[in-house]
């Protein structure tokens, strides 16, 4: 069992013995490497990507026997595993508690990959693991390292009080029946949660602007909290035009990476909520920066999340620390519940308790992980594009 939790007494007594052979003599070259404190002698020794279905669970090991976990999703898993192995060459022997320094090391290591999904999703996996290690080393949950929780509980959906409905691919232009088919689930959701509940609508970037303007006018009586992904990322002018034409609040950001990806939505006043995904945007380290720039624009974060309880919990830590936050996406999944045991609870009405424990406050069952990963009936496949009724490829 490598994923041990170390109390302070155990750390000090074990560290002295373990470090004698592991560390070179004298101070190292490089920023802040000569600083001596409780965290100065821990080093990254290995990183093991565990391929499991459509994702990779990454375990980062250290010379002190403390391991941290991260999740990489949204990249072909064999590619993600190879990228993670390759990135280890930049991290081996480094102090895992220098999280920001190591994040920058990975991000700026290859200018022609910088900012891309493959790079950022893998960095996110490492980032989560480094925060996990650091919290375990210090014996505190990650949210305390971030400056502590600013709320006692975290609102999440779906729940009995908050429902998000969405649409698939829509053709260009809409007839009354098309609009009605999209309004119907919104109406039902509002009836279900009542006037005190929250209804959200995900356009999935798949509702063309002309149709979305018609639809948005129709949804006004149902007090929809926001329209998510009102347009395909890439052309801010389209977002601005929709912003000017639609009264319902807008939200986006799940496919935008780093604070630089989110920033234009804020500076141009395009959205009312930003939706960073911890696993896509670059991990906890980027989540906290996005929360900070969003705070400057009085814009709450509404984190997107389709990760397992591992990546989800990483995102929770950042959200517990974010001053402006509204609601977190969080789906229960029986499959991942076999592998990841999170140490928080969610009530039926959608409130998540503070994570308890150290690091990310999740346990990874490596036996269950291997069992789920070895399912012979599962084959990874690209999701494939959406299709218009006439067979043409569509956005999704
Ligand atoms: Mg979405």
């Amino acid at each position: 069992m490598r994923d041990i939790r170390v109390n302070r007494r155990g750390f000090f007594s074990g560290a002295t013995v373990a470090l004698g052979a592991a560390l070179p003599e004298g101070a190292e070259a490089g920023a802040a490497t000569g600083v001596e404190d409780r965290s100065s002698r821990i080093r990254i020794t290995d990183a093991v990507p565990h391929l499991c279905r459509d994702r990779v669970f990454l375990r980062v090991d250290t010379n002190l026997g403390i391991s941290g976990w991260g999740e990489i999703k949204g990249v072909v898993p064999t590619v993600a595993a190879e990228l993670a192995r390759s990135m280890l060459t930049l991290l081996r022997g480094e102090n895992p508690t220098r999280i920001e320094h190591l994040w920058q090391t990975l991000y700026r290591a290859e200018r022609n990959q910088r900012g891309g999904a493959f790079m950022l999703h893998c960095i996110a996996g490492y980032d989560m693991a480094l925060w996990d290690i650091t919290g375990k080393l210090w014996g505190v949950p990650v949210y305390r390292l971030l400056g502590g929780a600013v709320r006692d509980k975290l609102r999440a959906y779906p729940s009995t009080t908050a429902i998000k409905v969405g649409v698939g691919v829509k053709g260009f232009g809409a007839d009354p029946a098309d609009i009605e088919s999209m309004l119907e689930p919104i109406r039902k959701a509002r009836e279900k949660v009542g006037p005190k509940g929250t209804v959200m609508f995900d356009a999935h970037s798949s509702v063309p602007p002309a149709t979305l303007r018609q639809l948005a006018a129709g949804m006004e009586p149902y007090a929809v909290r926001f329209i998510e992904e009102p347009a395909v990322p890439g052309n801010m002018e389209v977002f601005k035009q929709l912003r000017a034409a639609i009264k319902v609040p807008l939200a986006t950001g799940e496919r935008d990476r780093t604070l630089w990806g989110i920033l234009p939505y804020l500076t141009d006043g395009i959205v009312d909520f930003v939706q960073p995904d911890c696993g896509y945007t670059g991990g906890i380290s980027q989540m906290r920066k996005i929360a900070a720039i969003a705070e400057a624009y009085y814009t709450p974060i509404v984190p997107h999340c389709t990760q397992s309880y591992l990546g989800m919990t990483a995102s929770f830590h950042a959200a517990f620390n974010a001053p402006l936050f509204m609601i977190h996406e969080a789906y229960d999944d029986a499959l991942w519940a076999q592998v990841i045991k999170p140490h928080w609870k969610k009530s039926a009405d959608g409130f998540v308790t503070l994570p308890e424990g150290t690091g990310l406050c999740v346990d990874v069952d490596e036996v269950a992980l291997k069992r789920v990963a070895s399912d012979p009936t599962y084959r990874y496949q690209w999701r494939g594009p959406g299709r218009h009724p006439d067979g043409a490829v569509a956005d999704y």
Side-chain angles (χ1 to χ4, degrees), residues 141-158:
V142 166
Y143 71 82
R144 287 206 187 279
L145 299 173
L146 299 173
V150 300
R151 55 186 52 81
D152 300 324
K153 55 187 179 179
L154 189 88
R155 193 176 183 209
Y157 71 91

Side-chain angles (χ1 to χ4, degrees), residues 157 164 202-204 228-229 254 275 304 329:
Y157 71 91
K164 188 167 82 181
D202 194 341
H204 283 129
E228 176 173 321
E229 289 203 298
E254 67 183 77
Q275 299 180 291
H304 173 269
E329 192 169 28

Side-chain angles (χ1 to χ4, degrees), residues 35-230:
V35 176
E36 282 290 326
D37 64 19
R38 195 173 295 158
S39 306
S40 61
R41 290 175 180 271
I42 188 168
R43 293 292 183 272
I44 295 169
T45 54
D46 202 0
V48 184
H50 294 70
L51 276 78
C52 191
R53 300 175 77 90
D54 63 342
R55 63 199 70 194
V56 167
F57 294 99
L58 178 67
R59 193 191 71 216
V60 178
D61 299 330
T62 66
N63 60 334
L64 297 190
I66 300 173
S67 295
W69 286 90
E71 181 170 349
I72 305 170
K73 184 170 177 276
V75 177
V76 178
T78 49
V79 175
E82 199 51 46
L83 275 172
R85 283 191 197 97
S86 177
M87 285 177 171
L88 176 64
T89 61
L90 295 161
L91 302 180
R92 200 192 299 272
E94 294 286 345
N95 185 325
T97 69
R98 302 173 70 207
I99 303 168
E100 182 64 26
H101 178 67
L102 299 185
W103 195 99
Q104 299 290 340
T105 299
L106 294 175
Y107 184 67
R108 299 176 194 280
E110 172 51 74
R111 60 184 290 172
N112 297 308
Q113 293 185 51
R114 173 173 161 163
F118 282 29
M119 171 189 258
L120 260 306
H121 295 205
C122 291
I123 291 178
Y126 268 107
D127 184 84
M128 293 176 201
L130 298 181
W131 281 104
D132 193 22
I133 289 169
T134 305
K136 287 170 178 171
L137 177 65
W138 284 84
V140 295
V142 166
Y143 71 82
R144 287 206 187 279
L145 299 173
L146 299 173
V150 300
R151 55 186 52 81
D152 300 324
K153 55 187 179 179
L154 189 88
R155 193 176 183 209
Y157 71 91
S159 76
T160 56
T161 67
I163 298 174
K164 188 167 82 181
V165 297
V167 288
V169 171
K170 291 294 164 190
F172 295 105
D175 296 314
D178 299 320
I179 298 294
E180 179 54 29
S181 71
M182 290 186 273
L183 287 177
E184 180 65 12
I186 295 171
R187 191 180 298 121
K188 284 185 172 165
R190 174 53 68 199
E191 283 169 10
K192 199 166 180 182
V193 299
K196 291 185 176 177
T198 302
V199 175
M200 299 154 279
F201 178 80
D202 194 341
H204 283 129
S205 306
S206 63
V207 183
T211 306
L212 192 66
R213 286 197 296 270
Q214 285 178 273
L215 175 65
M219 68 173 75
E220 281 177 30
Y222 307 109
V224 172
R225 185 66 67 95
F226 58 73
I227 297 172
E228 176 173 321
E229 289 203 298

Side-chain angles (χ1 to χ4, degrees), residues 282-303:
I284 294 168
S285 297
Q286 281 298 301
M287 283 281 284
R288 64 195 303 224
K289 292 183 181 184
I290 289 166
I293 59 169
E295 181 190 357
Y297 287 86
Y298 301 101
T299 302
I301 61 166
V302 179

